[in-house]
Amino acid sequence: DDVLAQWFAWLLATARADLAERGIALEDRPKLVPTVPQNCHDLQRRAVREAAERAGFAVVDILNEPTAAALSLAVLGLTVAVQPGRHVAVYDFGGGTFDASLVRAEGDGRFTEVDSEG
């Protein structure tokens, strides 16, 4: 738990320094949405949230990694031709994990997680 908080503190300090070099000031408690493998249980998710908050982040939500991959399409401006109401399976082959999320196209460029398995 302390190692995780130290890692989040390092991440925040590195981001602040990098942005400061570019003349950008990071807010006091920047918002963060960490991702975790789908099969993380509640205690692990809580540990991630608490470690990030102790390090100085304001945790908005915690997402399953395959769901985050699906949602990143919109952030990156990529489009996937999925009719509203249709479902897409998103797979994440991680370092020793295989996770999948089923997401539904909402029709306004958003996807909603329906289910996730790991």
Side-chain angles (χ1 to χ4, degrees), residues 94-108:
T97 62
F98 172 69
D99 299 334
S101 287
L102 181 66
V103 296
R104 180 181 56 246
E106 298 299 337
D108 56 1

Side-chain angles (χ1 to χ4, degrees), residues 66-82:
T67 301
L71 297 175
S72 72
L73 293 174
V75 172
L76 296 172
L78 302 174
T79 58
V80 177
V82 181

Side-chain angles (χ1 to χ4, degrees), residues 12 20 33 48 68 76 79-80 91 93 102 111 114 116:
L12 182 55
V33 180
V48 168
L76 296 172
T79 58
V80 177
Y91 298 93
F93 297 97
L102 181 66
F111 289 89
V114 175
S116 199

Side-chain angles (χ1 to χ4, degrees), residues 9-26:
W10 170 85
L11 179 65
L12 182 55
T14 301
R16 281 191 197 286
D18 184 53
L19 292 171
E21 288 179 10
R22 299 163 193 216
I24 302 169
L26 198 56

